[in-house]
Amino acid sequence: MTTAPVLGIDLSTTPFSRRGSYFALSRVTDQQDHGVHLRTVRGDARHREIVRLLLDGGTEAQSRTTAGQLTLHHGTTSVDAVLDGPGRAYLRVRGGSLTLDFRATSQYDAVLKENEHTWRFIDSGANRNYRVRVLGGTTRFDARWDGVRNSEARLRIEAHDDTATVVVDEYGGAVPTEPLGDPDVLAAHAQADFDAWCGTHGGDERDDPAIGDTVRLAAFVTWAAIVPSGGALRRESMLMSKNRMTNVWSWDHCFNAMALWRDPQAAADQLFAVFDHQDEHGCLPDYVNDAGVERNFVKPPIHGWSISRLIDLGGLTDDAIAALYEPLRRWTEWWFAHRVYGDDGIPSYNHGNDSGWDNATTFGAGVPVQSPDLLAFLALQMQTLARMARHVGRHDEAATWTARADSTVRTLCDRFWAGDRFVARHTLTGGAIDSQSLLTFMPLVLGDLLPPAVRDRTVQRLLDGGYLTAHGPATEPPGSPHYESDGYWRGPIWAPSTMLLADGLRRSGRAELAEDIETRFMATCAGAGMAENFDAMTGAGLRDRSMTWTASVYLSMVSERAGRRSLADGVLCERAS
């Protein structure tokens, strides 16, 4: 029995997994056959639940989680789950029975017996095959064949007087041949790896009694979401979640990279995970996973903003900065070469998905749309390119990028400032779009690059418009007729918009307001976990309840707050001396 620290994890929101694994164990509550399931997070899986774990035949097992091991118990039965490598799971059964309820839901699923101790699950819904070996105990296999497929299959393992170990291997054309490991040793190795990860990316704050539990949860969510290189992924990559959001989206990865600034190689890997798939025109995909890439949409060009922040933190090596310069240049130029539809030189979003704010009211009247956030991000990206060009000795290019950044900010203010607010415009008509979306406040990310009068009026409208709730900035103000408590980008609070807004406010000289917004958001995470987004009025977690970019934003806020505190303490000490 492990003595590692217990993590306060609810399996119905935060899956148990580990760095390097494509397996996860979750308590499924949104399906008819609820209970704890072993699941796959492969990118091409049409159905993720592989087997349901029934302890003593029941579905309501209690759980205890450490980073290296999940323990389920019900009645007299306990099951220890340990993961190893990308596709192996150990289930150690003690004191009773475990039934593997195979989730044979697709039209060609089949569970067949290989020998007295081994079964194979041809899981066509998951696009994978699984081999199940039982070491010790006694077994009973029951299945129903309908002439084409198994419509039902269950394997019961009895371990009343002994210990039985179930080994589940994922495979394609050939079963794995690696020797079996000791689950206790594997759990200890996983725990040590997490402890090192948490020590690096959680910093000293992991031991802070006030926030330590939340820091460790955020660290676990990021660590456990990492999958190895292989398939379309050319390097170790952090998925957005091992619940449902099992991809690397092309702006989410920026927030994850920033949280890893203390390990520059890890930070660079998360950036390059998407830049590895830049096409010949300079375009980045919408997302990537081990099975391939999605290119129907893109995501907003916040990459320059995130790279600049990483440089400020010392989170990128000189080699990484040099290697990122050309891809970032091509990504910036792509917007002007391929997304400008008229003669005004202003690029457009083809869909809300392109902005990352999928269903924001900015896009409620149709597309394409020219949105003020896009020019703001591109201006920051140009500034970052100027900084990077100076870094690599390309000073003429640096001057050109600086001039283009200044020109882009002028265009933003000339075309999208409507006297008292920023507005988005219909690309083809130029008409202003009637929207109260927080998206139109994103030019604040420019900080002191905005004209003071524009900046101050925008901040005042943010304060007067009812956007700031007790839990953070709502993406649609609660007073809007389009507000929905669970409306995705039409109300809920999100980590990326919060971080972008707070950063811009801090660089605008509004540090107290930025600090206040961050404090509200961090308290929301402490209360509701690392959810995809949060109800703006109650703070309840919504949608995917274990998102890495939420965890990463939380870790970034914690570490930067600690850094500012240390800097202030140093200044006070210097003055005192």
Side-chain angles (χ1 to χ4, degrees):
M1 179 69 68
T2 180
T3 58
V6 175
L7 294 167
I9 285 175
D10 179 353
L11 284 181
S12 65
T13 60
T14 304
F16 171 77
S17 189
R18 64 155 296 175
R19 181 181 188 173
S21 179
Y22 275 99
F23 278 143
L25 288 100
S26 302
R27 189 182 307 279
V28 175
T29 59
D30 60 351
Q31 299 178 18
Q32 181 178 358
D33 295 329
H34 61 278
V36 177
H37 291 67
L38 177 66
R39 303 168 53 252
T40 178
V41 298
R42 291 285 184 178
D44 57 352
R46 296 184 298 272
H47 183 77
R48 300 201 176 279
E49 285 68 43
I50 304 163
V51 293
R52 181 167 56 155
L53 309 184
L54 305 176
L55 279 66
D56 294 331
T59 62
E60 302 303 324
Q62 295 180 313
S63 64
R64 176 183 183 276
T65 306
T66 67
Q69 178 175 290
L70 168 68
T71 298
L72 304 171
H73 56 93
H74 180 271
T76 61
T77 303
S78 69
V79 174
D80 298 328
V82 175
L83 304 179
D84 180 27
R88 176 170 286 177
Y90 294 85
L91 303 171
R92 187 168 50 192
V93 190
R94 291 190 177 96
S97 71
L98 168 67
T99 298
L100 301 183
D101 180 16
F102 293 90
R103 312 315 294 147
T105 60
S106 296
Q107 68 182 97
Y108 299 119
D109 285 356
V111 184
L112 55 93
K113 188 172 183 177
E114 179 181 331
N115 58 47
E116 289 302 311
H117 307 287
T118 308
W119 289 259
R120 297 201 185 198
F121 181 17
I122 314 306
D123 192 350
S124 64
N127 279 323
R128 290 294 183 281
N129 302 315
Y130 298 94
R131 189 187 195 209
V132 178
R133 288 175 281 177
V134 181
L135 312 176
T138 60
T139 61
R140 173 182 165 184
F141 179 60
D142 298 299
R144 179 181 300 159
W145 183 259
D146 67 5
V148 177
R149 59 181 283 268
N150 282 117
S151 57
E152 184 177 322
R154 289 190 173 191
L155 176 63
R156 182 181 178 91
I157 301 102
E158 299 273 2
H160 289 290
D161 302 321
D162 199 359
T163 297
T165 300
V166 181
V167 183
V168 182
D169 279 313
E170 179 187 80
Y171 71 98
V175 296
T177 58
E178 294 84 2
L180 297 180
D182 181 334
D184 287 330
V185 173
L186 295 170
H189 287 168
Q191 183 68 49
D193 191 61
F194 171 71
D195 290 342
W197 176 275
C198 189
T200 298
H201 304 298
D204 293 339
E205 289 65 46
R206 70 192 185 281
D207 298 321
D208 185 331
I211 62 173
D213 288 346
T214 310
V215 170
R216 285 189 293 275
L217 172 62
F220 178 79
V221 167
T222 56
W223 172 81
I226 292 175
V227 294
S229 62
L233 297 175
R234 300 175 190 172
R235 60 193 72 230
E236 189 177 62
S237 303
M238 190 187 297
L239 301 179
M240 295 314 103
S241 173
K242 284 187 176 176
N243 279 329
R244 303 294 176 188
M245 309 289 280
T246 56
N247 302 313
V248 183
W249 270 272
S250 188
W251 69 315
D252 309 50
H253 74 122
C254 293
F255 296 93
N256 290 341
M258 288 186 290
L260 306 186
W261 64 271
R262 293 183 176 98
D263 182 348
Q265 183 58 56
D269 278 343
Q270 299 318 307
L271 290 175
F272 279 111
V274 172
F275 276 106
D276 284 339
H277 299 278
Q278 189 170 34
D279 72 11
E280 68 273 21
H281 307 292
C283 184
L284 296 180
D286 186 18
Y287 65 77
V288 59
N289 57 44
D290 60 299
V293 299
E294 164 62 47
R295 295 196 184 275
N296 285 112
F297 304 106
V298 294
K299 285 294 178 278
I302 67 161
H303 303 78
W305 169 77
S306 61
I307 289 170
S308 188
R309 283 177 56 93
L310 278 166
I311 294 173
D312 288 341
L313 292 166
L316 288 175
T317 65
D318 289 345
D319 287 345
I321 294 169
L324 283 164
Y325 176 76
E326 185 61 19
L328 189 67
R329 181 197 68 78
R330 295 176 61 230
W331 172 226
T332 305
E333 298 288 16
W334 176 85
W335 285 95
F336 296 95
H338 299 283
R339 281 298 183 86
V340 173
Y341 298 141
D343 57 6
D344 59 7
I346 299 173
S348 295
Y349 290 133
N350 283 350
H351 191 277
N353 289 358
D354 288 340
S355 75
W357 296 50
D358 308 11
N359 69 328
T361 52
T362 312
F363 306 97
V367 291
V369 166
Q370 294 176 335
S371 186
D373 67 300
L374 179 52
L375 283 183
F377 295 144
L378 287 168
L380 284 182
Q381 198 142 287
M382 293 168 185
Q383 275 223 323
T384 299
L385 282 163
R387 182 178 187 179
M388 296 168 77
R390 288 191 295 271
H391 193 86
V392 297
R394 298 162 77 161
H395 297 287
D396 290 345
E397 293 179 32
T400 299
W401 284 119
T402 298
R404 286 185 65 179
D406 292 342
S407 176
T408 302
V409 174
R410 288 195 298 272
T411 299
L412 167 68
C413 294
D414 289 345
R415 290 283 295 137
F416 296 94
W417 181 251
D420 64 343
R421 68 185 64 198
F422 282 106
V423 297
R425 297 190 178 277
H426 297 281
T427 298
L428 301 183
T429 67
I433 295 171
D434 183 15
S435 169
Q436 297 182 58
S437 174
L438 187 70
L439 183 62
T440 59
F441 288 82
M442 286 300 105
L444 284 173
V445 76
L446 289 166
D448 58 7
L449 295 179
L450 277 177
V454 171
R455 185 176 68 235
D456 293 345
R457 182 67 188 90
T458 305
V459 172
Q460 195 58 50
R461 181 170 166 251
L462 177 74
L463 296 173
D464 295 341
Y467 290 87
L468 297 186
T469 75
H471 305 285
T475 47
E476 184 83 12
S480 165
H482 301 293
Y483 172 83
E484 300 175 47
S485 59
D486 187 11
Y488 221 50
W489 291 95
R490 295 191 175 194
I493 292 162
W494 289 75
S497 52
T498 301
M499 185 174 184
L500 285 160
L501 189 62
D503 179 66
L505 288 168
R506 183 167 279 108
R507 289 184 290 103
S508 298
R510 303 296 293 264
E512 289 186 7
L513 178 57
E515 191 90 357
D516 176 53
I517 288 173
E518 290 171 346
T519 297
R520 299 183 197 202
F521 179 77
M522 292 168 67
T524 301
C525 292
M530 304 301 150
E532 184 177 0
N533 52 60
F534 303 91
D535 186 307
M537 302 307 293
T538 69
L542 302 171
R543 306 297 176 108
D544 193 314
R545 301 287 298 281
S546 184
M547 285 286 282
T548 54
W549 73 353
T550 304
S552 289
V553 165
Y554 179 85
L555 291 173
S556 292
M557 288 180 176
V558 166
S559 69
E560 291 180 23
R561 180 167 292 194
R564 289 192 295 272
R565 190 184 308 120
S566 296
L567 181 61
D569 290 345
V571 170
L572 288 174
C573 289
E574 183 178 344
R575 289 176 178 172
S577 61

